[in-house]
Each structure stands twice: as structure tokens, then as C-alpha cells.
Amino acid sequence: MSNDAAKRTVGFIGLGHMGGPMAANLVKAGYQVTGFDVVPAALEAARSAGVSVAASSAEAAAGADVVITMLPAGKHVFAAYEGDGPGGGLLAAAKPGSLFLECSTIAVEDARTAHEMALAAGHHSLDAPVSGGVMGAEAGTLTFMVGGTADDFADAAEIFEVMGRRIVHCGGPGAGQAAKVCNNMILGVSMIAVSEAFVLGEQLGLTHQALYDVAANASGQCWALTTNCPVPGPVPASPANRDYQPGFAGALMAKDLGLAVEALNATGVEASLGRAAEEIYREFALGGGAGTDFSGIINTIRAASHAAAPEQ
């Protein structure tokens, strides 16, 4: 494959809140990007960003040097790879030796299966889930957690560097998804802990700003506090300041923690906090929090505590 960005072609499948901005950043960097999504509004947004819109996923992948998928779950990845629509699946449509970058967040075993499917069809493959949310996708500052061979990782580096700020080769096939599931288990648990601490602080008479100023500069410091703070005020860019519009939706956190529990069950690891976080976020999503930012869990905690937030 050519290292000339202007000549290297990309097929991008899944142009939603994450995939759309990622594809747009590739266009800005000089890549020829052809995309597809089942949602007409996503296609129109991509078109306005300079992405060539295809009539099917197979058409988007035809002739591409690199095929990127950003889809909801493993079953959607398999369906796209195998395909039964116009032109068949991505594996058949892509030219031999294409590089498949599977950027969805799916189960570790599903990622390994997708890798084997790509190899069997004569392609190269990396699992490369991301962290950083919509803002990171728009700004091109995502973290990529990558699984696959060192050669394929090196071949994809220039593409990852357009869409992300930190790119980590985590190991062989499935290792990127393994890192993602571990990272998001930490994130889910830490957001619950931060939210519980703010609700407790409210009832002990602390202002949000006072607690933030202490914890952000002490041993309680973490991303859930300093970047995605669950109360309005201390971090102006956090979703709490826009009525918990995501961001990273509660439904996605519930999904990712479900993948973590699958991995815990498969490995026999004891993780009481990870399992508790999965239950809490599953109930949060089912109870109306699916479309709000996952930091909105603080409202559930506050309500369960039979206490309203005092004036700050």
C-alpha cells in the first residue's frame, strides 16, 4: 500500500457520532474516504464533510486500501464482513490484501473471530477500539488501543495519527479490545465513586467547587473527576453543564460494562466492583439514562439517597 495519503483510499463503515468525525478528519488530512451508514442523516453529515457517500457498505469498501468499521456490536461487524446485501460483504468487496481496522467496541472473542475472518479472506486486520468520546473524535485526539501484528500496526500508524493523539499497540489479535474493556471497567467504577463522593459532600455541607479543588489535586484525582466531572461548575466542558447531553451515553457504558462482565465470566476473575458497576449502569440505562451522559448516574445516586442537591 502507498504511504501517500492523497492516493491511499479508505472505506469507512459506520458514520455516527464517532465514525463521522473520524472520517472527516481523514478527509482533512488528504485521504480519499468513501463511507456508508444506514442512517440517512449520518450520510448527509459525512457528505458535507467531504466524504464520498456510497450506496452500500460493500460499495464503500470496493477498491479501498483500508477498511474501517465503527459499528454497535460484534454481530453488526460479522454481518458487515459477511454481508447479504448489494455487493456482498466487506471481506469479499475489498481488494485482496486490504487492511481492516475494526474500531468498534466489541467482545474480545468477537474481535479475535473478526481477525480470523479477515485473514481467511486474504486481508490484514487490527482491532482498534477508541477512547475519548465524541469530543475526542471531533478534535482528532482519540486514544487507540490496538491488537494485531507489529507490521500491520506500523502500516496503520499514519492513519491512526490523523484520528488520535495516543496510539498503543497492546499485543496480538483481541488485545486492543481487552485493553478497552479493562479501561472502561475502571471508568465506570470511578464515575460511580466520584458521584457518590459529591452526593456525600453535598450532605456534609461542602460546595462542589471545594470538593473538586481538593480531590482534583489530591489522591482522589481521576479522569471522571477532572474531565467529565458529574456536577456543573468545576469543569465547564463536562456534560453536567449541558444537562448531561452525551458525551459518552449511559447505554454505551452499560454495553461496555456488559462486555467486561462477559470477560470476567470467561476468565474467572473476581471483580465485585466491576460487576456492581455493570448492574448499576444497566439499571440506569433501562431507567431512562440510556441517552444521557454516563455521568448522569449522579442523579440516580442522589435520588436513591432521598436527598436533593443543595444550592451551590
Side-chain angles (χ1 to χ4, degrees), residues 70 72 108 122 124 152 164 220 246 266 276 288 307 311:
M70 177 63 84
V108 175
H124 301 272
D152 287 341
E311 291 295 326

Side-chain angles (χ1 to χ4, degrees), residues 111-136:
R112 291 172 178 158
T113 298
H115 176 82
E116 292 301 324
M117 290 170 65
L119 263 60
H123 303 300
H124 301 272
S125 175
L126 295 169
D127 55 286
V130 303
S131 180
V134 175
M135 288 186 292

Side-chain angles (χ1 to χ4, degrees), residues 46-86:
R47 193 198 308 272
S48 67
V51 176
S52 298
V53 171
S56 69
S57 58
E59 182 180 309
D65 296 309
V66 180
V67 179
I68 302 175
T69 47
M70 177 63 84
L71 299 168
K75 63 181 181 181
H76 302 105
V77 174
F78 297 152
Y81 274 21
E82 295 176 322
D84 55 8

Side-chain angles (χ1 to χ4, degrees), residues 10-15 19-28 31-37 42-54 60:
V10 177
F12 206 116
I13 317 304
L15 299 168
M22 292 164 67
N25 283 332
L26 288 170
V27 171
K28 291 176 185 176
Y31 286 85
Q32 302 173 54
V33 182
T34 303
F36 177 74
D37 196 284
L43 285 176
E44 190 53 42
R47 193 198 308 272
S48 67
V51 176
S52 298
V53 171

Side-chain angles (χ1 to χ4, degrees), residues 113-253:
T113 298
H115 176 82
E116 292 301 324
M117 290 170 65
L119 263 60
H123 303 300
H124 301 272
S125 175
L126 295 169
D127 55 286
V130 303
S131 180
V134 175
M135 288 186 292
E138 292 173 346
T141 58
L142 295 169
T143 293
F144 283 87
M145 296 151 272
V146 187
T149 69
D151 286 346
D152 287 341
F153 177 74
D155 187 36
E158 63 177 18
I159 294 176
F160 289 140
E161 287 166 0
V162 170
M163 301 183 289
R165 177 176 293 167
R166 184 167 178 78
I167 300 95
V168 182
H169 187 205
C170 299
Q177 294 293 350
K180 177 67 183 287
V181 78
C182 291
N183 177 79
N184 278 21
M185 187 168 72
I186 294 171
L187 178 58
V189 171
S190 62
M191 181 56 78
I192 292 169
V194 169
S195 297
E196 289 178 344
F198 270 107
V199 174
L200 176 60
E202 290 167 1
Q203 297 312 303
L204 293 175
L206 288 173
T207 65
H208 292 159
Q209 191 65 52
L211 177 55
Y212 177 86
D213 288 345
V214 171
N217 296 282
S219 54
Q221 190 279 327
C222 61
W223 189 93
L225 173 68
T226 57
T227 299
N228 218 75
C229 187
V231 295
V235 180
S238 75
N241 295 281
R242 53 178 190 272
D243 198 26
Y244 298 95
Q245 297 177 40
F248 185 55
L252 295 178
M253 177 54 80

